Amino acid sequence: MPRILVKFRKGYSRYNKGETAAFGEEEARKLCAGKDPVADAVGEVEDGGAKVLAVQLDASAVRRATEEVRAELKSKARELGDREAVLQQREDEIATREKIVAAKEQAVEGAPADPADAGGSTDSGGKIAKASGEPPKQGASK
């Protein structure tokens, strides 16, 4: 009884996808039959060597599969482009915020230490009244 070489389409028992193994005719037919075969017959084993059988491909199925893959790649490329645009927008916003923070820090560092120099006015008692937006000093009357 001749042995048939089969190449596995997916994992089966101890075999992984893409591996080739030799089986008896009946077992090889079972593996290669049905709606969703586990393997494809690729040759017959003769005297320790392999004689490869011709494989017939359906060109339309190959074209369909290729078109599906191309469509998926185009979709992924668009999605990646959209993500890059969003990331660039976020980077621009962060850069703008960093500039604003740096400007505020510089303004705070350059602020005068004396409240009178900061725009506060003195009242008739010589006390410094708070400038608008400043919190009241502790112990000061309203």
Side-chain angles (χ1 to χ4, degrees):
M1 184 164 148
R3 294 177 50 108
I4 308 292
L5 283 175
V6 295
K7 184 172 183 177
F8 289 93
R9 293 178 161 192
K10 55 187 174 184
Y12 175 78
S13 184
R14 63 180 180 198
Y15 301 101
N16 296 315
K17 178 181 177 180
E19 289 184 333
T20 304
F23 293 92
E25 271 186 72
E26 190 174 317
E27 182 70 19
R29 271 197 215 113
K30 287 179 186 177
L31 292 171
C32 299
K35 289 184 180 180
D36 189 23
V38 176
D40 293 319
V42 292
E44 288 183 9
V45 177
E46 289 185 0
D47 301 324
K51 182 173 105 180
V52 178
L53 298 175
V55 178
Q56 184 177 8
L57 292 176
D58 181 9
S60 62
V62 172
R63 264 189 245 112
R64 272 194 309 272
T66 304
E67 288 171 4
E68 289 174 5
V69 169
R70 283 186 181 149
E72 184 177 351
L73 285 174
K74 285 180 183 179
S75 170
K76 296 293 182 182
R78 279 193 301 269
E79 185 180 319
L80 185 60
D82 293 345
R83 286 183 181 184
E84 285 180 12
V86 169
L87 286 176
Q88 185 61 46
Q89 182 181 4
R90 287 181 183 172
E91 287 178 4
D92 294 344
E93 289 173 0
I94 289 172
T96 303
R97 288 179 188 166
E98 287 176 348
K99 288 178 184 176
I100 292 170
V101 169
K104 286 183 179 180
E105 286 176 349
Q106 191 175 20
V108 169
E109 289 173 1
D114 187 9
D117 294 339
S121 61
T122 58
D123 61 4
S124 59
K127 295 181 181 176
I128 298 174
K130 76 173 196 159
S132 65
E134 282 187 39
K137 291 189 175 195
Q138 283 187 327
S141 62
K142 292 184 182 182

